[in-house]
Amino acid sequence: MDKLIITGGNPLNGEIRISGSKNSGLPILAATLLADGPMHLQNLPHLNDITTMLSLLRCMGVGVTIDERMGVEIDSTSINDFAAPYDLVKTMRASILVLGPLLTRFGKADVSFPGGCAIGSRPVDIHLRGLEAMGAQIEVDGGYIRARAPHGLKGAHFFMDIVTVGGTENLLMAAVLAKGKTVLENAAREPEIVDLANCLVRMGAQIEGIGSDSLTIHGVERLQGCAYSVMPDRIETGTYLTAAAATRGRVRLRDTAAGILDAVLLKLEEAGAHISTGADWIELDMKGNRPRSVNVRTAPYPAFPTDMQAQFTAMNAVAEGTGAVTETIFENRLIQVHELNRMGANITLEGNTAIIRGVPRLKGAPVMASDLRASASLVIAGMVADGETLIDRIYHIDRGYECIEEKLQILGANIQRVAG
Ligand code: UD1
């Protein structure tokens, strides 16, 4: 199993390109199942989760061709199987996103039930209840969700009890080919949902209220293939900015967008960062200063994202003062705290809040990655620690960060991958 070795102490300095968004690429790949002709996707990140979704499409008989510039052509007209097997779903919960598209277009889907994961139980009850409201018959049998709609889905008025990103995406994709009008209330508003909706509109879908918490969808008979370029990854963007702030550095990130991470940029400014932005770039400069602690509370977009919480915990660990980080989305998502404390951080847990008393420096140690964003916090901690940090189980990082060690090396970090 690969490991990362980081020798801390170098402030990040330089310019890198931000990759396409994983969390937008995954639902857009699922949406290719809705198209009557080939889809041409650009700017998909080269990540394990994206490869898993492509394998899932391939195992259903979908044609997938990748060109030399990572452009992907996907043609679902050759589909001959409507199942997402356990082996693939267990490695990636987002496989559940094929449920809505398969059911609405082909009338059947057998998707392995996604289990829990390190950050909590993560049920899919809202996905299923929404599809039932559109007329689907759903049974859970032998670990599989078996959904049927032999005469197609029909529009419904559905209120989501919890703001769910994946639930909103699944139901939106189901609604675009359902008969009649669907209204999704209390919908998630994440930029990745806007990206998915924009792609669906380009395929011929009729969607009103894009970017709001109430989506109205008028079902159409068919959707056509189209060309679409996936948005930049706002969490990768936020991670490199936070890493630069923690190391007192200066970075310029290209091919990204400032408008999609306002809450994060405001918190970084509160921490003492000087931020400037252009149409497709963001620059952060700490002017050599230690960051100041900030309080953070995660909530659905446009509030502070849960996927940036662990990175801010790491920055607060070396900041001036005391900061509180409260997690409200997932029940067990402060798992990075114990590993950070092993590196000399002073963090105590009070329920779903981490109280972080900043220390001047951390000390390198062997640590273990436990989930994607928790791993990113360990990389940040390693870069501000004295001596060497060895991070084990980095397959978690590879699920969400394209070429992380190459990008950090370009920014001057002392980081290496070793085969374990
Ligand atoms: C997506 C993101 C993930 C991010 C999360 C929250 C992808 C591939 N992943 O995950 O990176 O951390 O949004 O921004 O885009 N819930 C239910 N019932 C349901 C669905 C969700 O109770 O049917 C709960 C979950 O357990 C969780 C909360 O709702 O507590 C939010 O989850 P959700 O927004 O659905 O997260 P994902 O779509 O899985």
Side-chain angles (χ1 to χ4, degrees):
M1 222 179 274
D2 287 2
K3 298 179 173 56
L4 284 176
I5 300 181
I6 303 172
T7 306
N10 299 358
L12 293 187
N13 195 327
E15 177 173 322
I16 52 167
R17 169 179 188 272
I18 291 301
S19 303
S21 163
K22 167 178 89 72
N23 285 356
S24 166
L26 291 171
I28 287 174
L29 283 172
T32 63
L33 290 167
L34 297 164
D36 252 355
M39 296 276 297
H40 300 270
L41 300 180
Q42 293 293 335
N43 206 32
L44 281 169
H46 194 199
L47 294 171
N48 289 351
D49 276 9
I50 295 290
T51 313
T52 304
M53 188 60 99
L54 290 172
S55 306
L56 178 55
L57 294 174
R58 271 205 189 98
C59 87
M60 294 192 272
V62 171
V64 177
T65 323
I66 302 179
D67 69 27
E68 65 288 352
R69 298 175 64 211
M70 267 306 281
V72 182
E73 184 185 298
I74 300 173
D75 188 349
S76 67
T77 48
S78 53
I79 191 167
N80 53 28
D81 190 20
F82 306 93
Y86 175 67
D87 276 356
L88 290 172
V89 178
K90 76 169 186 224
T91 60
M92 189 185 65
R93 291 178 43 81
S95 315
I96 187 79
L97 293 173
V98 300
L99 180 62
L102 284 178
L103 192 58
T104 197
R105 176 138 183 248
F106 304 104
K108 56 184 166 182
D110 294 325
V111 177
S112 174
F113 209 90
C117 63
I119 62 175
S121 62
R122 298 180 86 172
V124 290
D125 54 319
I126 297 169
H127 303 230
L128 303 190
R129 273 195 280 121
L131 293 172
E132 279 172 342
M134 292 186 206
Q137 294 145 21
I138 297 182
E139 272 176 35
V140 177
D141 167 37
Y144 274 77
I145 299 162
R146 301 193 192 281
R148 297 290 179 269
H151 308 294
L153 294 174
K154 54 182 190 311
H157 195 136
F158 187 68
F159 181 89
M160 284 175 265
D161 292 336
I162 298 178
V163 179
T164 154
V165 173
T168 303
E169 291 165 346
N170 233 338
L171 298 180
L172 173 62
M173 289 188 281
V176 289
L177 287 182
K179 287 183 198 78
K181 179 170 113 173
T182 299
V183 181
L184 299 175
E185 306 271 20
N186 200 26
R189 291 183 278 165
E190 266 65 3
E192 292 76 14
I193 292 170
V194 173
D195 207 33
L196 169 66
N198 287 339
C199 178
L200 291 169
V201 166
R202 191 162 305 172
M203 292 161 72
Q206 290 183 17
I207 308 170
E208 291 158 19
I210 295 174
S212 79
D213 63 0
S214 175
L215 294 168
T216 301
I217 303 113
H218 300 276
V220 294
E221 285 281 312
R222 59 181 290 273
L223 294 172
Q224 76 242 7
C226 71
Y228 196 78
S229 183
V230 170
M231 68 179 278
D233 196 306
R234 70 190 164 106
I235 305 302
E236 188 197 25
T237 304
T239 301
Y240 285 107
L241 293 176
T242 311
T247 60
R248 311 181 189 191
R250 174 170 183 268
V251 294
R252 187 180 165 99
L253 308 180
R254 270 188 294 118
D255 294 340
T256 187
I260 50 180
L261 71 168
D262 280 348
V264 172
L265 296 184
L266 287 170
K267 282 291 167 189
L268 287 168
E269 280 179 335
E270 201 182 315
H274 299 260
I275 292 177
S276 33
T277 60
D280 63 351
W281 57 269
I282 304 178
E283 194 172 291
L284 177 145
D285 190 352
M286 288 303 283
K287 302 202 186 286
N289 294 321
R290 183 180 178 190
R292 291 190 295 272
S293 288
V294 288
N295 296 331
V296 160
R297 184 181 175 83
T298 67
Y301 191 85
F304 191 90
T306 171
D307 285 350
M308 281 302 303
Q309 169 266 103
Q311 299 87 319
F312 266 64
T313 309
M315 181 184 75
N316 272 348
V318 291
E320 214 174 310
T322 298
V325 170
T326 303
E327 171 60 48
T328 74
I329 307 282
F330 292 109
E331 69 216 32
N332 188 25
R333 213 184 193 181
L334 291 163
I335 32 187
Q336 72 280 8
V337 162
H338 308 290
E339 296 299 279
L340 292 174
N341 279 347
R342 292 185 55 241
M343 297 175 71
N346 182 354
I347 310 176
T348 47
L349 283 178
E350 289 177 14
N352 62 347
T353 298
I355 310 289
I356 305 137
R357 293 176 184 81
V359 296
R361 297 201 73 81
L362 299 174
K363 289 194 197 69
V367 289
M368 192 108 81
S370 51
D371 95 325
L372 171 55
R373 307 305 169 184
S375 317
S377 79
L378 299 178
V379 173
I380 295 175
M383 292 191 299
V384 291
D386 290 331
E388 197 175 278
T389 295
L390 180 74
I391 308 183
D392 202 352
R393 297 200 182 166
I394 58 162
Y395 55 86
H396 289 293
I397 302 184
D398 293 333
R399 289 187 42 216
Y401 293 95
E402 186 176 62
C403 302
I404 188 164
E405 72 271 24
E406 284 91 346
K407 288 189 182 183
L408 287 171
Q409 280 161 5
I410 291 170
L411 297 176
N414 188 339
I415 177 169
Q416 254 118 44
R417 180 182 292 254
V418 287

